[in-house]
């Protein structure tokens, strides 16, 4: 009855917390409001003197080549493989820029920025993963593609990342889409685009061609920006650029020769975002935000002036080459160059460097259109904003607030523009210069002001979410205190180390409080891994000190040695992957394993895999041992051998998969050939699915073995099955991990067995301190695998393991398992550790309560009888202790979520709200919903309730 009541309370509190997450996220992550409808030519303003002019396009054809993750140094750097593009720039036949992409630096929001000129919603970073999502469509939002089709009467064809097809349904004349999440495919994904280049360019009458290449991004995800595959991929892209450029150059010469009124073709090469030193993206580091932008055309071959962009000095450390612009600046620029209205929601500045062979008055007209479009957004923010000022507006200028300042800048630009039309520009250029100055100042300041005001929080919904969260926290605290009291009644006073245990409990509570305090600082959130590294070491050091208070010298040495080994292991694990923001590019063990010591990396993989196989085979052997009956010996022997054979096949299959996917075939060709004789399948997807099936079959066989054993040996406790599950899920995580991270699972196993070894005589750990230790190791393992609180650390390189087409559930599941493999591993290991601690506490209590001293024979049969008597009471306590574990972990996650929500609420106008706090909040939602509720509560709970553990 007591456990059933706890279940009901936990269920009710969980509902409160889920409601809190829903309402707070709904208020914190709303869709950004945008102006509806499309800009039209009729809405364009006349000149300040009242004269109406038509938009004259400077180009009539466009090739837009977007290379995913094209970081600026990949094109402009000294080690770039794009030599043809560099030669065009050196000869002044192309105009280069370094473009800054704002966070989140993932494809979908970047495409939105490149086509609409808006600051995308942070929620688009989530929708970027959900390829089947249609709610982010731009079919009803103003953008230059729709304007080219409607106003310019252009035919648009697209080839590449199918995100474009989902964003612009029904817009393209021809399409050939590719899926963006097969991150291990670096060849076919680009060949499928390149095969369309020459045929499309050869077609008569084409207008707009868009090519989106994914291979370079996939190289980054697979092996980083300095991979041996990176420069060849850049060279491949450079060859495509050369083909396109030379083709359109010849076509333009022929077209202009046949018809002098024809306009030339514009060729744009750009990236949607960059990548960090690990090859990922999504955050706000320099590498992720810096992208290349190159404009090429036959008209640039006869430039009369040198654009300003060429005079800017390089800064390779900051990845700053030539002139630095904002990514959204492309939208008003491309609109003006093609004579179409600027999209209504654009926040970009028109690039005057591209205004070749036009006079100063025409540049003023271009800036006027840009300023007028921005003033339309300002008018929705401030209805009194005057879009058509007169001389009186200039006389009444003041700078009391943002609206007044922007109104004054706009009025002054309008005034000087009107004056410049009244005089000859050769007689007096001061009006023109003043007009250019005020237009540029107004456009820049307006973009910054509107970019910061586009976040429309639903404060009411956020407060409702906080209300539900604080209710769940208070309820968790109440039930936790009751649980703590109940535990002390059962075991609290059974030995002399009670005071030492309380020290660790106090340190655990201080750890939770300290962690919550760090959630209010952006730097601590970026470097959260440092907290868990140092606090875990602090707990271990304190346990090491407490071990010297033990009176038993042998026990003192044993525990001191154990905690010392744990500290060494934590330090080694910490050095494996540098993560966070500040030291993300620092050289770590992963760097050496992927460069100078690749064979050592694979040797460590083989050692880890071999050791794991031996442990698994041993635990299976223990599972099928029957000490009471020989009647089932043949059946048990057959099940044991067959299950062990399947485990060996799993180990070999995983090795074959890793060698083929992660580039080990070239290093170990004979080994791969030998494995191929055993595992015949040559299809990667089929091999991964075979591994999944064999893992399930081995679990079923082990469960069948438990049923057989219980039939002939009733009342026996199956203590090996949880270890078998731990071993089998390790094979799964190896399958979903990068090869340099696989030895970490071997280190986790050493830590795990040290805990078991220490637990034989260690009563320092209570449920509170034990659970905080496990939580610390879960977070430590999460960061040690290279993860962080930035979206850029999400590893999608193995998201399609065993999947040959996009499925949001399956891809999402493999992505979650791959990135949270460390915490999930420790979650399963924690089940075993808690049961061992329970066993020791229970055995000690039974021994202390036995007043009769008994003699034990040489075979220890009396101990076996004693343990069998305890098994029944242990099984009845399993559910209670599992619920106690859930209460402690639920309280931790609920407190962290609540404190973080309060911090986000208070700091919602902070400079780093979208680059630091928002990603952290997304991660925390995953920790609470997928990890805590999905893994700790549901998955582990099912095993506990069904008495599998």
């Amino acid at each position: 009855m007591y456990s059933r009541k706890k279940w009901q309370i936990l269920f009710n509190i969980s509902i409160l917390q889920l409601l809190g997450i829903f309402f707070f996220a709904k208020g914190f992550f709303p869709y950004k409001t945008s102006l509806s409808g499309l800009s039209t030519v009729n809405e364009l303003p006349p000149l300040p003197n009242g004269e109406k002019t038509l938009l004259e396009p400077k180009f009539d054809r466009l090739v837009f080549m977007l290379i995913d993750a094209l970081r600026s140094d990949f094109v402009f750097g000294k080690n770039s493989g794009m030599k043809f593009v560099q030669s065009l720039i050196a000869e002044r036949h192309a105009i280069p820029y370094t473009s800054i992409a704002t966070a989140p630096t993932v494809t979908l929001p970047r495409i939105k920025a490149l086509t609409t000129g808006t600051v995308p919603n942070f929620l688009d970073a989530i929708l970027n993963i959900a390829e089947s999502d249609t709610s982010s469509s731009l079919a009803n939002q103003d953008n230059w593609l729709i304007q080219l089709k409607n106003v310019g009467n252009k035919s648009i064809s697209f080839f590449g990342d199918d995100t474009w097809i989902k964003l612009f349904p029904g817009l393209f004349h021809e399409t050939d889409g590719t899926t963006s999440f097969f991150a291990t495919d670096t060849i076919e994904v680009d060949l499928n685009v390149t095969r369309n280049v020459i045929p499309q360019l050869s077609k008569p009458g084409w207008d707009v061609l868009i090519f989106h290449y994914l291979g370079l991004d996939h190289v980054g995800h697979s092996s980083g920006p300095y991979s041996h595959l990176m420069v060849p991929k850049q060279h491949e892209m450079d060859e495509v650029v050369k083909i396109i450029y030379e083709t359109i150059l010849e076509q333009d010469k022929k077209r202009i020769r046949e018809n002098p009124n024809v306009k030339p073709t514009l060729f744009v090469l750009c990236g949607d975002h960059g990548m960090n030193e690990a090859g990922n993206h999504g955050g706000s580091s320099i590498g992720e935000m810096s992208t290349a932008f190159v404009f090429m055309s036959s008209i640039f071959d006869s430039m009369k002036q040198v654009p300003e962009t060429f005079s800017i000095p390089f800064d390779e450390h900051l990845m700053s080459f030539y002139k630095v612009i904002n990514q959204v600046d492309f939208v008003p620029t491309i609109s003006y160059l093609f004579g179409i209205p600027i999209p209504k929601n654009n926040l970009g500045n028109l690039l005057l460097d591209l205004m070749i062979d036009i006079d100063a008055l025409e540049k003023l007209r271009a800036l006027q259109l840009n300023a007028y479009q921005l003033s339309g957004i300002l008018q929705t923010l401030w209805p009194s904003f005057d879009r058509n000022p007169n001389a009186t507006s200039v006389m009444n200028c003041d700078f009391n607030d943002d609206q007044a300042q922007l109104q004054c800048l706009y009025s002054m630009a309008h005034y000087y523009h009107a004056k410049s039309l009244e005089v000859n520009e050769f007689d007096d250029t001061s009006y023109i210069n003043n007009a250019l100055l005020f237009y540029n100042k107004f456009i820049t300041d307006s973009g910054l002001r509107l970019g910061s005001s586009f976040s429309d929080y639903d404060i009411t919904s956020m407060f409702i979410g906080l209300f539900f969260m604080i209710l769940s926290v208070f309820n968790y605290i109440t039930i936790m205190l009751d649980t703590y009291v109940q535990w002390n009644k059962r075991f609290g006073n059974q030995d002399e180390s009670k005071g030492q245990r309380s020290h660790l409990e106090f340190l655990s509570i201080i750890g939770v409080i300290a962690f919550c305090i760090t959630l209010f600082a952006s730097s601590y959130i970026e470097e959260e891994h440092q907290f868990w590294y140092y606090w875990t070491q602090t707990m271990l050091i304190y346990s090491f000190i407490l071990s010297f208070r033990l009176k038993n010298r042998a026990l003192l040495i044993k525990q001191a040695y154990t905690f010392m080994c744990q500290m060494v292991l934590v330090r080694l694990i910490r050095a494996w992957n540098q993560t966070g923001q500040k030291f993300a590019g620092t050289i770590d063990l992963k760097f050496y394993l992927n460069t100078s010591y690749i064979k050592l990396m694979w040797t460590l993989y083989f050692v880890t895999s071999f050791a794991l196989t031996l442990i698994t085979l041993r635990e299976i052997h223990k599972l099928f041992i029957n000490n009471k009956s020989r009647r089932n010996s043949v059946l048990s022997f057959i099940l044991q051998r067959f299950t062990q054979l399947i485990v060996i096949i799993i180990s070999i299959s995983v090795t074959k998969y890793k060698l083929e996917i992660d580039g080990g075939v070239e290093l170990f060709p004979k080994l791969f050939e030998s494995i191929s004789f055993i595992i015949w399948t040559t299809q990667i997807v089929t091999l991964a699915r075979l591994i999944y099936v064999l893992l399930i079959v081995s679990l079923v066989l082990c469960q069948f073995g438990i049923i057989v054993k219980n039939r002939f040996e009733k009342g026996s406790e199956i203590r090996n099955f949880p270890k078998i599950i731990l071993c089998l899920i390790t094979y799964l995580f190896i399958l979903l991990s990068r090869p340099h991270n696989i030895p970490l699972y071997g280190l986790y196993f050493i830590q795990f067995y040290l805990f078991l070894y220490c637990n034989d005589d260690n009563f320092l750990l209570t449920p509170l301190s034990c659970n905080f230790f496990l939580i610390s190791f879960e977070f430590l393992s999460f960061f040690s695998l290279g993860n962080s609180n930035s979206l850029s650390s999400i590893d999608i390189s193995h998201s399609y393991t065993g999947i040959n087409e996009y499925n949001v559930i399956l891809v999402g599941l493999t992505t979650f398992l791959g990135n949270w493999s460390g915490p999930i591993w420790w979650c399963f290991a924690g089940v075993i550790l808690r049961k061992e601690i329970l066993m020791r506490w229970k055995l000690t209590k039974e021994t202390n309560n036995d007043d009769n001293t008994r003699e034990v024979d040489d075979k220890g049969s009396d101990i076996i009888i004693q343990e069998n008597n305890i098994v029944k009471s242990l099984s009845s306590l399993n559910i209670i202790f599992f619920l106690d574990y859930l209460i402690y972990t639920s309280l931790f996650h609920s407190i962290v979520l609540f404190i973080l929500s309060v911090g986000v609420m208070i700091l919602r106008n902070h400079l780093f709200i979208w680059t630091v706090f928002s990603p952290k909040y997304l991660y925390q939602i995953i920790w609470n919903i997928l990890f805590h509720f999905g893994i700790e509560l549901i998955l582990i709970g099912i095993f506990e309730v069904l008495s599998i553990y």
Side-chain angles (χ1 to χ4, degrees), residues 61-232:
R61 298 196 309 177
L62 171 68
V63 177
F64 186 74
M65 181 177 174
L66 191 154
I67 302 177
D68 214 284
L70 187 65
R71 207 166 69 181
S72 56
D73 61 326
F74 291 167
V75 178
F76 308 132
K78 295 178 181 179
N79 299 319
S80 168
M82 307 190 74
K83 301 302 180 183
F84 177 75
V85 175
Q86 289 187 344
S87 68
L88 291 180
I89 297 171
E91 296 169 4
R92 306 293 169 87
H93 294 163
I95 301 179
Y97 295 96
T98 294
S99 171
I100 300 300
T102 57
T105 48
V106 290
T107 298
L108 187 145
R110 292 299 96 219
I111 294 176
K112 284 190 172 183
L114 282 168
T115 55
T116 65
T118 60
V119 178
N121 191 339
F122 194 86
L123 202 58
D124 288 326
I126 302 174
L127 299 178
N128 184 73
I129 297 177
E131 291 191 353
S132 57
D133 173 74
T134 58
S135 60
S136 56
S137 170
L138 295 178
N140 299 316
Q141 192 173 145
D142 202 359
N143 58 82
W144 58 263
L145 280 85
I146 293 179
Q147 291 289 351
L148 279 175
K149 185 175 182 179
N150 293 347
V151 179
N153 196 27
K154 303 292 185 184
S155 174
I156 307 173
S157 297
F158 171 79
F159 309 92
D161 185 356
D162 58 5
T163 303
W164 289 76
I165 302 174
K166 296 180 177 66
L167 284 174
F168 304 99
L171 178 69
F172 300 116
H173 176 64
E174 288 186 55
T175 61
D176 186 4
T178 58
T179 302
S180 59
F181 279 88
F182 283 105
T184 55
D185 176 16
T186 62
I187 300 174
E188 292 295 329
V189 71
D190 282 347
L191 293 179
N192 290 337
V193 180
T194 303
R195 69 186 181 188
N196 293 287
V197 171
I198 295 178
Q200 291 297 322
L201 289 172
S202 302
K203 289 182 178 180
W206 64 267
D207 295 316
V208 179
L209 298 176
I210 301 175
F211 303 103
H212 187 154
Y213 283 88
L214 292 165
L216 188 139
D217 176 64
H218 289 184
V219 170
H221 282 298
S222 299
S223 48
Y226 306 110
S227 164
H228 66 283
L229 300 174
M230 184 59 73
V231 173

Side-chain angles (χ1 to χ4, degrees), residues 364 367 412-418 420 430-440:
L364 283 181
L367 291 176
M412 294 293 289
H414 195 272
Y415 170 78
Y416 282 113
H417 189 182
S420 65
S430 61
Y431 290 130
I432 293 177
N433 292 334
N434 287 336
L436 287 171
L437 175 67
F438 282 109
Y439 269 134
N440 280 316

Side-chain angles (χ1 to χ4, degrees), residues 343-476:
K344 279 190 174 183
N345 297 290
N346 162 69
L347 301 181
N349 301 3
L350 197 142
L351 302 174
L352 294 178
D353 297 311
L354 295 171
M355 305 295 117
I356 304 300
D357 296 335
I358 65 173
D359 57 31
L361 291 178
E362 191 170 353
K363 288 184 179 181
L364 283 181
R365 174 59 174 168
L367 291 176
Q368 181 204 5
L369 295 175
N370 196 176
Y372 185 79
Q373 172 265 319
L374 287 167
S375 69
I377 308 177
L378 291 174
Q379 196 173 59
T380 62
L381 187 65
W382 302 309
S384 60
F385 191 90
D386 188 2
R387 300 183 70 187
N388 299 292
N390 49 40
T392 307
S393 302
V394 177
M395 299 299 294
N396 296 329
C397 267
D398 66 71
F399 294 86
N400 294 331
D401 52 29
D402 288 347
Q403 178 182 353
Q405 179 180 351
L406 292 175
Q407 181 69 75
C408 184
L409 290 173
Y410 185 65
S411 300
M412 294 293 289
H414 195 272
Y415 170 78
Y416 282 113
H417 189 182
K419 287 292 185 181
S420 65
L421 295 172
E422 297 175 2
V423 299
N424 190 316
E425 62 175 302
F426 298 104
D427 296 334
D428 188 356
T429 60
S430 61
Y431 290 130
I432 293 177
N433 292 334
N434 287 336
L436 287 171
L437 175 67
F438 282 109
Y439 269 134
N440 280 316
K441 179 65 174 173
F442 169 77
I443 292 170
T444 301
D445 290 358
S446 296
L448 292 174
R449 177 63 179 83
L450 290 170
S452 63
S453 67
F454 261 40
S455 299
D456 187 17
Y457 300 110
D458 186 348
I459 303 299
T460 302
S461 182
M462 294 171 72
F463 270 116
I464 294 174
L466 288 175
F467 173 73
F468 283 119
M469 289 180 194
I470 199 168
L471 282 180
S472 67
V473 169
F474 280 136
N475 281 279
Y476 276 132

Side-chain angles (χ1 to χ4, degrees), residues 273-301:
H273 51 75
M275 64 175 68
N276 59 20
E277 297 304 294
N280 297 320
H281 53 88
S284 56
S285 67
I286 295 174
E288 294 166 86
M289 295 193 300
S290 299
T291 68
F293 239 105
V294 183
F295 293 84
M296 295 165 277
S297 176
S298 59
I299 195 176
F300 299 151
D301 289 346

Side-chain angles (χ1 to χ4, degrees), residues 529-541 562-577 589 744 747-748 750-752 754-755 773 776-781 783-784 826:
H529 59 285
Q530 302 284 11
F531 173 85
W532 293 109
Y533 288 149
Y534 283 107
W535 199 263
T536 302
Q537 289 286 46
T538 301
M539 295 279 288
L540 291 171
I541 291 172
T562 301
F563 287 118
M564 180 64 71
C565 290
Q566 289 281 18
M567 286 187 282
V568 173
L569 286 171
V570 170
R571 185 62 187 88
L572 178 60
I573 289 171
R574 178 191 174 189
W576 209 272
N577 284 288
L589 293 179
L744 285 173
L747 298 181
Y748 298 158
I750 296 175
Q751 290 182 304
F752 168 73
L754 282 173
F755 266 120
F773 252 120
S776 298
F777 275 94
E778 287 171 359
F779 278 88
L780 184 146
S781 65
F783 292 109
S784 70
W826 275 106

Side-chain angles (χ1 to χ4, degrees), residues 609-628:
S609 179
F610 182 72
L612 175 61
T613 303
L614 289 181
I615 294 172
T616 310
L617 295 178
R618 186 191 67 176
E619 296 301 334
I620 291 174
H621 174 70
K622 289 181 179 180
L623 178 69
F624 286 94
I625 290 178
N626 193 332
N627 296 320
K628 288 188 176 182

Side-chain angles (χ1 to χ4, degrees), residues 241-277:
V241 172
K242 183 178 181 181
I243 292 172
I244 296 175
Y245 180 79
E246 292 179 346
T247 302
I248 63 174
L249 210 64
E250 289 298 321
Q251 290 180 352
D252 280 355
K253 290 179 180 178
K254 182 179 179 182
R255 291 168 59 241
I256 295 174
R257 189 166 56 246
E258 294 174 354
N259 183 2
N261 295 323
V262 168
K263 304 296 183 181
T265 304
L266 178 64
F267 180 20
V268 180
L269 170 68
C270 69
D272 54 347
H273 51 75
M275 64 175 68
N276 59 20
E277 297 304 294

